[in-house]
Amino acid sequence: MTTNLSVNINKIATLRNARGENNPDVLKVAADCQRFGADGITVHPRPDERHIRRDDVFSLRPLVHTEFNIEGNPTPEFIDLVLKVKPEQVTLVPDAPGQLTSDAGWDVEANFEFLSDIIARFSEAGIRTSIFVGTDPDNIKAAARTGTDRVELYTKPYADMYPTNPENAVAPFVEASRAAHAAGLGVNAGHDLSLENLAFFHSRVPFLNEVSIGHALICDALYLGLEKTIAAYKQALIH
């Protein structure tokens, strides 16, 4: 199966915001990512708007002709934004306000009613849903009962262990993806995937629909250029 590459452009907005002007231009970068072969654009608007802002999300909507994925903590403000913009996909992430970056998946059972209600609202609006989770198969089975379409596997533990023991690093993700597929869920993955570890992950993990990559990809683009970087990541997703 084909695994899509969604480029998270948060870091572009971080750089822009550092000077308070419009350089680099977030909209142009999103358009270029698609032109260079990205299968989607991901944004993660946070309450403090330290990178992607609400107005960016609205401006990006008509420009994203591949797949628009909005991820974040489903606060009332976030839910309102998603329902107004209607992306192809929303990824629910349990971020606390002001959190530097996502560092854990949902405990689905502990938040089951909350997640189920939100997923029902998004599904009614025709938006595909994904829940950010770890690799525990029971937690993934609980996610399936919420009515979500997909889960996104939090891959930092894989990235951390990969340099010393790649086979052990990937094993829980293989099991998790199989559990998700058996439960009728699509499988996404993201966090700290890079040119160093992506090809191995992709070669081992079955049923992988999509990877969402931002920080490492933008860092690589500083050296390789954006077009060559996206081509390299796409190549890593080919067996």
Side-chain angles (χ1 to χ4, degrees), residues 15-75:
L15 185 59
R16 175 201 62 188
N17 294 352
R19 289 293 293 268
E21 298 176 353
N22 193 40
N23 188 25
D25 184 332
V26 169
L27 302 185
K28 183 179 185 305
V29 171
D32 286 343
C33 286
Q34 294 177 112
R35 183 162 58 89
F36 296 150
D39 304 296
I41 299 295
T42 291
V43 294
H44 189 148
R46 287 184 163 90
D48 61 7
E49 295 195 320
R50 66 181 183 270
H51 36 63
I52 288 292
R53 301 166 179 157
R54 284 179 63 90
D55 61 346
D56 291 328
V57 181
F58 285 106
S59 297
L60 284 163
R61 172 65 285 189
L63 297 179
V64 178
H65 58 77
T66 51
E67 177 195 274
F68 199 18
N69 173 46
I70 303 177
E71 59 183 31
N73 188 11
T75 62

Side-chain angles (χ1 to χ4, degrees), residues 28 30 38 68 70 93 111 117 124 126 142 173 192 205 211 213 229:
K28 183 179 185 305
F68 199 18
I70 303 177
V93 182
N111 297 277
D117 288 348
E124 186 177 352
F173 293 88
D192 286 2
V205 178
V211 293
I213 304 176
T229 297

Side-chain angles (χ1 to χ4, degrees), residues 139-160:
N139 196 48
I140 290 169
K141 292 173 186 175
R145 297 199 304 274
T146 67
T148 190
D149 301 295
R150 295 184 182 183
V151 290
E152 179 173 329
L153 302 178
Y154 171 57
T155 50
K156 180 173 172 52
Y158 163 75
D160 288 345

Side-chain angles (χ1 to χ4, degrees), residues 79 86 90 140 143 157 190 209:
I79 293 169
K86 292 191 175 180
V90 57
I140 290 169
N209 295 103

